[in-house]
């Protein structure tokens, strides 16, 4: 590892097992996508005095880079907070914490533009070494499963969250190294408007799962699949990120799934940013004024 990110790597690698990630009283943020301005707004609202002096924990649900212009700054800030408060700040991996995706979008180019070709590539690799060690999921208040994308099909580890403990601690290529991790990073809830006869038949045949045509990878899942996953794991809700929402969040699948997105004006659109507060099994959303 690069000397400047070695300790970030080591801290991220500690407590990799999802069953170790039993957090309490937590603020959760969804996709940030290089939006440093909104991250600072969250700081002013939620942890103005710093994580150490704030009662709750902080869980970030991935996709820290690409799409926005300040991925380096977002990553540097979050890594610094993780080092300062390793038992209060938690970072899980999204589908943009992947080298191949960043090369398709802009984070590698951002590093090179800001630091030059040689140093920029070194910094990009060092940051991705840390991404490789990020956990894939967490559990809050023993009942709320938190992940970037969505739930896995039962064919992956029998649909049990304990199977996530078997995901490799460090993954450069999750698609090859852990199909389970890939599903958790990429899946989406099915949208009723997208369900045609072929998708409906696939959902009925596969226990509420169908191919994710939008992403061209992983799957979409129905509320029946979600209910089965929650019952199987003695959980009450899933909180995830991965999709932009006009008001920053959306409650789906009969109120048991919450999507949160924490980068406003994403790709030039007019969407708002939001975060989630979980306290004693109560789930509240906060829409952020980023003006």
């Amino acid at each position: 590892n690069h000397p400047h990110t070695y300790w970030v790597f080591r801290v991220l690698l500690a407590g990799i097992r999802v069953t170790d990630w039993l957090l309490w009283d937590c603020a959760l943020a969804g996709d940030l996508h290089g939006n440093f301005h909104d991250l600072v707004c969250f700081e002013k609202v939620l942890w103005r005095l710093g994580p150490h002096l704030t009662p709750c924990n902080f869980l970030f649900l991935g996709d820290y880079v690409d799409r926005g212009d300040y991925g380096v700054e977002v990553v540097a800030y979050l890594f610094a907070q993780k080092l300062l408060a390793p038992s209060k700040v938690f970072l899980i991996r999204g589908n943009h914490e992947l080298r191949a995706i960043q090369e398709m979008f802009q984070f590698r180019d951002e590093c090179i533009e800001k630091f030059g070709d040689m140093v920029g590539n070194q910094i990009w690799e060092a940051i991705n070494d840390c991404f490789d060690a990020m956990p894939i999921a967490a559990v809050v208040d023993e009942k709320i499963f938190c992940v970037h994308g969505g739930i896995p099909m039962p064919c992956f580890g029998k649909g049990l969250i304990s199977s996530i403990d078997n995901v490799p601690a460090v993954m450069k290529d999750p698609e090859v190294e852990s199909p389970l991790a890939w599903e958790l990073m990429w899946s989406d809830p099915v949208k009723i408007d997208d369900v045609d006869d072929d998708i409906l038949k696939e959902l009925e045949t596969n226990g509420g799962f169908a191919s994710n045509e939008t992403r061209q990878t992983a799957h979409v899942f129905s509320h029946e699949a979600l209910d089965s996953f929650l019952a199987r794991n003695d959980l009450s809700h899933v909180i995830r990120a991965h999709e932009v929402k006009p008001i920053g969040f959306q409650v789906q699948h009969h109120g048991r799934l919450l999507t949160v997105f924490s980068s406003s004006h994403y790709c030039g659109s007019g969407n708002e940013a939001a975060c989630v507060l979980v306290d004693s099994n109560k789930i509240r959303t906060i829409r952020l004024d980023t003006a």
Side-chain angles (χ1 to χ4, degrees), residues 53-78:
L53 298 177
T54 305
C56 66
N57 296 304
F58 300 93
L59 176 60
F60 295 86
L61 298 178
D63 277 15
Y64 310 108
V65 300
D66 288 331
R67 304 286 196 179
D69 294 331
Y70 300 101
V72 170
E73 289 80 1
V74 167
V75 169
Y77 178 93
L78 292 176

Side-chain angles (χ1 to χ4, degrees), residues 112-129:
I112 292 171
E113 181 180 338
K114 289 178 177 176
F115 301 104
D117 189 63
M118 185 178 73
V119 175
N121 272 298
Q122 290 175 347
I123 289 173
W124 180 71
E125 281 290 351
I127 290 171
N128 274 283
D129 285 345

Side-chain angles (χ1 to χ4, degrees), residues 8-290:
V8 178
F9 177 85
R10 298 305 307 175
V11 169
L12 288 169
L13 201 56
I16 195 77
R17 294 161 59 89
V18 70
T19 48
D20 290 335
W21 281 55
L22 298 175
L23 310 180
W24 302 89
D25 301 342
C26 208
L28 297 89
D31 299 42
L32 288 165
H33 280 300
N35 191 334
F36 188 69
H37 174 270
D38 284 11
L39 179 57
V40 172
C41 290
F42 279 114
E43 176 192 65
K44 292 176 180 177
V45 171
L46 295 174
W47 63 93
R48 180 181 292 271
L49 299 178
H52 277 302
L53 298 177
T54 305
C56 66
N57 296 304
F58 300 93
L59 176 60
F60 295 86
L61 298 178
D63 277 15
Y64 310 108
V65 300
D66 288 331
R67 304 286 196 179
D69 294 331
Y70 300 101
V72 170
E73 289 80 1
V74 167
V75 169
Y77 178 93
L78 292 176
F79 283 1
Q81 296 299 329
K82 180 63 178 173
L83 288 175
L84 289 168
S87 63
K88 291 182 68 71
V89 176
F90 299 90
L91 310 172
I92 65 175
R93 192 174 188 177
N95 64 300
H96 278 262
E97 280 69 68
L98 298 167
R99 291 168 179 79
I101 299 299
Q102 295 161 26
E103 288 179 312
M104 288 173 57
F105 288 88
Q106 72 189 77
F107 185 55
R108 185 179 186 182
D109 291 339
E110 179 189 336
C111 291
I112 292 171
E113 181 180 338
K114 289 178 177 176
F115 301 104
D117 189 63
M118 185 178 73
V119 175
N121 272 298
Q122 290 175 347
I123 289 173
W124 180 71
E125 281 290 351
I127 290 171
N128 274 283
D129 285 345
C130 295
F131 290 163
D132 293 344
M134 282 183 173
I136 302 298
V139 176
V140 175
D141 284 4
E142 294 187 324
K143 289 290 185 180
I144 300 168
F145 183 70
C146 303
V147 69
H148 180 73
I151 63 173
M153 295 180 69
C155 62
F156 299 107
K158 299 181 180 179
L160 298 172
I161 64 170
S162 58
S163 65
I164 301 172
D165 292 345
N166 300 320
V167 169
V170 179
M171 292 183 291
K172 283 186 175 291
D173 189 354
E175 185 175 17
V176 173
E177 297 173 64
S178 175
L180 170 58
W182 192 257
E183 290 285 317
L184 293 166
M185 295 163 67
W186 281 94
S187 292
D188 293 298
V190 69
K191 298 178 179 66
I192 299 301
D193 294 343
D194 294 340
V195 176
D196 56 23
D197 290 342
D198 291 337
I199 293 177
L200 183 60
K201 183 177 180 180
E202 193 176 354
L203 290 169
E204 292 172 347
T205 303
N206 293 321
F209 291 88
S211 301
N212 193 328
E213 299 297 334
T214 301
R215 308 276 183 192
Q216 292 294 297
T217 191
H219 293 86
V220 294
F221 55 92
S222 67
H223 73 84
E224 292 90 351
L226 177 67
D227 289 345
S228 296
F229 171 82
L230 294 173
R232 192 182 305 121
N233 290 284
D234 192 25
L235 299 167
S236 63
H237 295 81
V238 170
I239 299 178
R240 45 88 69 172
H242 200 36
E243 292 182 290
V244 62
K245 299 299 178 183
I247 60 172
F249 70 93
Q250 183 179 3
V251 179
Q252 299 161 274
H253 284 9
H254 297 180
R256 305 190 77 184
L257 178 76
L258 176 60
T259 297
V260 59
F261 199 87
S262 301
S263 177
S264 66
H265 306 291
Y266 179 64
C267 296
S269 67
N271 71 287
E272 298 178 33
C275 69
V276 180
L277 297 181
V278 176
D279 179 13
S280 302
N281 286 316
K282 295 178 181 178
I283 300 174
R284 292 171 287 178
T285 56
I286 296 177
R287 294 161 68 180
L288 184 69
D289 181 5
T290 60

